[in-house]
């Protein structure tokens, strides 16, 4: 059983140390095929069904670079304000791990395709922090190990392990920041905001689905502390493959308090990888962190260098979408939002979702109502990011349209949304399967109204006597009889007509 680490109070950490961050974000590209072969690039599937001799590293198989992946890499670099290399090449990163079928990873080492950029990040209170980008380079993903027989799904305590190479060879872009300093107590918040801003940018570029829950966007969080009077950075740890925005913030904060307690007690931080534990927000030791020399990098002999022409780079620059930050400013004006309303949208990750819902035909007010209230609460209950819910902006717009046309009431619309979230199909398919369409036939409504009036003659008398508000009881009875599928406004009109009030 792992011993519980000593932790320093966060305020004391900030008083005694300056945190230094380094964030490495891996994003899988949504190309049709893998990075160096023609295997289908899709999430999941039966284990070891999307493989071939090339991505399995079999003797004699030769790689070929995916041109679309190179294009996506250049567009990402340009969106991050990077310089694009006139000439770059791949290298072999040598290390043994069971999910690496070739025993090396084809990556880029000292010659990345994009370098020296920056990304401006807006924090919750509007403060803007510029995060400098060291590099964005191309590489291939590894396979997956499944550890069987243990309690945690990790290798410790497992009886045996299974390997799935479907993901091996999937195109990756690794985006590495320069050391992030001067953030003080806001370091965890800066880490979360950076990953969120980067995710929004990649989604806007259309190069990845950035699904953190499926691993197509993963963050390695490097954290170190330096004493207030120190001249050099402290020893860093690298918390691997953190897969949600909330977890990025929690992992950074925990490492700061753990390292602070260790240093205050006279100990030394070990340069190592660490694993984040979702259950309690702690990190645990992995392996001692290698240096570049340990990987024995050398140029990949089976791939030619990449030399994008300036003309091509400039053509790709013209394809860049509106920056998410600029987009937010524009829609704030168009939707007439206060800073607080925009901040609320941003905090729950709803800005782009609402914008996409508006583009699909809904009003901004209705779209905000669904995403910020109903769906944000659902995401919180499920413990996932809002964008990770299994419902699209187009589907939300479709639900809003059904309400506007009178086919659904707001109550029925919520039931339809639950059906979509449960995987029952599109909104219209859920309406048909569950029989949720509003009862608009006056004859059917009148039958229900007559039955309700007959059951409550005293209420009918009150309505006739001028107490029109008493009609609410009859409306409620009709709504119950029609399982909430009646138009309450129309029901009320029919009640008044029936009693002659």
């Amino acid at each position: 059983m792992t011993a519980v680490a000593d932790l320093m109070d966060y305020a004391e950490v900030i008083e005694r140390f300056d945190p230094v961050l380094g964030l490495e974000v891996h994003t899988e590209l949504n190309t049709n095929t893998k990075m160096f072969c023609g295997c289908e690039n899709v999430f999941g599937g039966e284990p070891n069904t999307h493989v071939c001799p090339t991505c399995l590293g079999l003797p004699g198989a030769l790689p070929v670079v995916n041109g679309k992946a190179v294009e996506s890499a250049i567009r990402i670099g340009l969106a991050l304000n990077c310089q694009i290399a006139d000439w770059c090449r791949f290298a072999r990163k040598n290390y043994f791990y069971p999910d690496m079928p070739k025993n090396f990873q084809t990556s880029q080492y000292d010659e990345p395709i994009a370098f020296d950029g920056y990304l401006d990040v807006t924090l919750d209170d509007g403060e803007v922090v510029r995060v400098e980008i060291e590099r964005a380079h191309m590489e291939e993903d590894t396979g997956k190990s499944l550890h069987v027989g243990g309690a945690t799904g990790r290798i410790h305590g497992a009886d045996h392990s299974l390997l799935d190479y479907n993901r091996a060879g999937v195109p990756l872009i690794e985006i590495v920041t320069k050391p992030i300093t001067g953030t003080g107590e806001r370091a965890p918040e800066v880490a979360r905001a950076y990953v969120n801003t980067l995710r929004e940018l990649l989604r806007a570029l259309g190069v990845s689905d950035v699904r953190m829950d499926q691993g197509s966007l993963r963050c390695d969080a490097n954290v170190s502390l330096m004493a207030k009077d120190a001249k050099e950075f402290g020893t860093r740890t690298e918390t691997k493959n953190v897969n949600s925005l909330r977890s990025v913030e929690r992992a950074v904060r925990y490492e700061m308090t753990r390292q602070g307690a260790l240093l205050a007690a006279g100990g030394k931080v070990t340069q190592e990888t660490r694993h984040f534990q979702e259950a309690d927000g702690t990190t645990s030791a992995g392996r001692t962190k290698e240096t570049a020399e340990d990987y024995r990098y050398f140029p990949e002999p089976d791939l030619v260098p990449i030399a994008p022409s300036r003309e091509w780079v400039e053509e790709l620059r013209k394809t860049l979408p509106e920056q998410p930050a600029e987009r937010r400013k524009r829609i704030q004006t168009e939707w007439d939002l206060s800073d607080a309303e925009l901040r609320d949208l941003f905090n729950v990750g709803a800005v782009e979702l609402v914008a996409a819902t508006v583009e699909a035909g809904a009003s901004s007010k209705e779209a905000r109502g669904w995403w910020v209230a109903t769906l944000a609460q659902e995401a919180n209950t499920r413990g996932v990011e809002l964008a990770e819910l299994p419902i699209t902006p187009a589907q939300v717009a479709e639900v809003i349209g059904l309400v506007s046309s009178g086919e659904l009431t707001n109550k029925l619309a919520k039931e339809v949304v639950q059906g979509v979230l449960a995987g029952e199909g599109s909104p219209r398919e859920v309406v048909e399967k569950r029989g949720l369409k509003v009862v608009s036939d006056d004859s059917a409504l009148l039958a229900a109204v007559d039955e309700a009036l007959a059951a409550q003659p005293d209420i009918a008398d009150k309505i006739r006597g001028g107490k029109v508000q008493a009609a609410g009881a009859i409306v409620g009875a009709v709504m119950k009889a029609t399982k909430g599928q009646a138009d309450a406004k129309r029901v009320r009109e029919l009640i008044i007509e029936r009693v002659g009030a």
Side-chain angles (χ1 to χ4, degrees):
M1 186 174 179
T2 305
V4 178
D6 291 329
L7 302 178
M8 177 180 284
D9 181 76
Y10 190 73
E12 185 178 355
V13 174
I14 300 305
E15 183 181 342
R16 298 179 60 171
F17 301 99
D18 289 322
V20 180
L21 306 179
L23 301 171
E24 303 169 16
V25 173
H26 299 76
T27 185
E28 292 179 352
L29 300 179
N30 57 6
T31 53
N32 293 327
T33 56
K34 291 186 179 181
M35 188 71 202
F36 301 113
C37 67
C39 288
E40 190 178 11
N41 176 21
V42 293
F43 175 78
E46 289 297 312
N48 300 307
T49 55
H50 303 302
V51 295
C52 71
T54 300
C55 57
L56 289 177
L58 300 183
L62 292 175
V64 177
V65 174
N66 186 321
K68 184 64 176 179
V70 175
E71 176 185 305
S72 295
I74 293 173
R75 293 180 71 236
I76 290 171
L78 291 172
L80 291 172
N81 305 290
C82 289
Q83 298 183 51
I84 306 301
D86 294 321
W87 187 95
C88 64
R89 59 182 172 179
F90 287 96
R92 290 188 179 183
K93 182 180 181 182
N94 296 275
Y95 64 99
F96 171 79
Y97 208 72
D99 59 15
M100 290 285 295
K102 298 182 293 188
N103 289 339
F104 65 83
Q105 180 185 32
T106 305
S107 181
Q108 291 189 305
Y109 174 44
D110 55 343
E111 298 162 311
I113 192 167
F115 56 94
D116 284 345
Y118 65 87
L119 182 63
D120 287 333
V121 176
T122 303
L123 304 185
D124 291 348
D125 63 354
E127 180 183 345
V128 177
V129 175
R130 174 160 293 187
V131 175
E132 295 186 334
I133 306 297
E134 177 73 34
R135 56 194 278 140
H137 65 260
M138 298 178 288
E139 60 186 22
E140 60 182 338
D141 212 342
T142 62
K144 288 184 179 180
S145 298
L146 176 64
H147 306 297
V148 182
T152 64
R154 299 191 181 277
I155 194 169
H156 300 293
D159 296 327
H160 62 281
S161 298
L162 301 174
L163 297 170
D164 178 8
Y165 291 119
N166 280 348
R167 196 178 69 181
V170 166
L172 274 183
I173 300 297
E174 181 176 355
I175 301 164
V176 183
T177 70
K178 294 181 180 180
I180 304 170
T181 61
T183 57
E185 65 179 354
R186 306 193 75 172
E189 180 188 352
V190 169
R192 172 180 56 79
Y194 166 76
V195 176
N196 187 41
T197 304
L198 181 58
R199 186 177 67 166
E200 284 187 341
L201 179 60
L202 295 170
R203 184 186 290 117
L205 287 168
V207 296
S208 173
D209 63 11
V210 292
R211 289 285 299 272
M212 297 187 80
D213 60 318
Q214 294 182 356
S216 57
L217 185 77
R218 313 188 292 271
C219 177
D220 296 343
N222 292 269
V223 179
S224 67
L225 297 177
M226 55 189 298
K228 292 291 185 179
D229 58 350
K231 302 299 182 184
E232 298 181 354
F233 294 156
T235 302
R236 64 185 173 90
T237 62
E238 180 181 10
T239 304
K240 300 287 287 184
N241 296 326
V242 187
N243 62 2
S244 77
L245 299 178
R246 179 170 177 263
S247 295
V248 169
E249 185 169 8
R250 293 171 73 202
V252 169
R253 188 182 184 95
Y254 179 84
E255 269 303 287
M256 289 171 63
T257 57
R258 186 189 69 85
Q259 291 183 24
L262 186 60
L263 294 171
K268 293 183 178 180
V269 175
T270 301
Q271 183 170 319
E272 61 187 359
T273 62
R274 296 185 68 84
H275 302 295
F276 182 70
Q277 312 298 328
E278 293 282 352
D280 58 8
T282 65
T283 66
S284 59
R287 54 183 169 82
T288 302
K289 182 63 179 173
E290 294 90 347
T291 62
E293 289 75 16
D294 294 319
Y295 291 121
R296 306 189 318 282
Y297 283 99
F298 64 85
E300 169 56 70
D302 293 332
L303 290 170
V304 297
I306 296 172
S309 68
R310 289 300 95 185
E311 291 78 14
W312 186 36
V313 171
E314 291 310 310
E315 286 177 10
L316 291 177
R317 191 188 300 277
K318 295 175 184 177
T319 70
L320 297 183
E322 184 180 22
Q323 286 273 352
E326 295 172 357
R327 181 181 176 83
R328 283 196 296 274
K329 291 178 182 178
R330 175 174 59 80
I331 64 178
Q332 181 178 11
T333 300
E334 291 178 357
W335 298 350
D336 192 25
L337 300 177
S338 66
D339 289 342
E341 288 172 325
L342 182 66
R343 187 160 58 247
D344 288 342
L345 283 174
F346 183 77
N347 288 347
V348 297
V351 174
E352 296 304 319
L353 294 169
V354 171
T357 306
V358 171
E359 289 174 0
S363 73
S364 63
K365 183 177 180 180
E366 290 169 322
R368 294 201 313 273
W370 277 100
W371 285 109
V372 177
T374 305
L375 291 168
Q377 184 177 1
E378 180 71 24
N380 186 57
T381 300
R382 295 185 179 209
V384 299
E385 301 299 330
L386 192 58
E388 293 167 4
L389 287 175
I391 188 169
T392 66
Q395 289 172 328
V396 174
E398 185 178 347
V399 171
I400 292 170
L402 291 172
V403 174
S404 299
S405 67
E407 294 180 62
L408 291 178
T409 63
N410 285 324
K411 182 179 179 180
L412 290 175
K414 290 181 179 180
E415 193 172 339
V416 170
V417 167
Q418 287 303 317
V420 175
L421 292 171
E424 297 175 18
S426 69
R428 286 196 178 275
E429 288 172 337
V430 174
V431 168
E432 293 301 323
K433 289 177 182 177
R434 295 194 180 191
L436 298 175
K437 194 171 288 187
V438 167
V439 178
S440 55
D441 181 2
D442 276 3
S443 61
L445 292 176
L446 279 170
V449 167
D450 288 341
E451 185 177 342
L453 288 170
Q456 303 183 70
D458 55 329
I459 300 295
D461 289 340
K462 288 181 180 179
I463 299 172
R464 290 190 187 94
K467 294 184 177 180
V468 179
Q469 64 270 25
I474 305 298
V475 172
V478 173
M479 295 302 290
K480 183 176 181 181
T482 59
K483 299 179 180 179
Q485 292 177 237
D487 182 340
K489 182 179 178 182
R490 182 55 182 157
V491 169
R492 186 179 181 85
E493 291 173 351
L494 292 174
I495 293 170
I496 302 302
E497 291 175 10
R498 212 58 163 171
V499 300

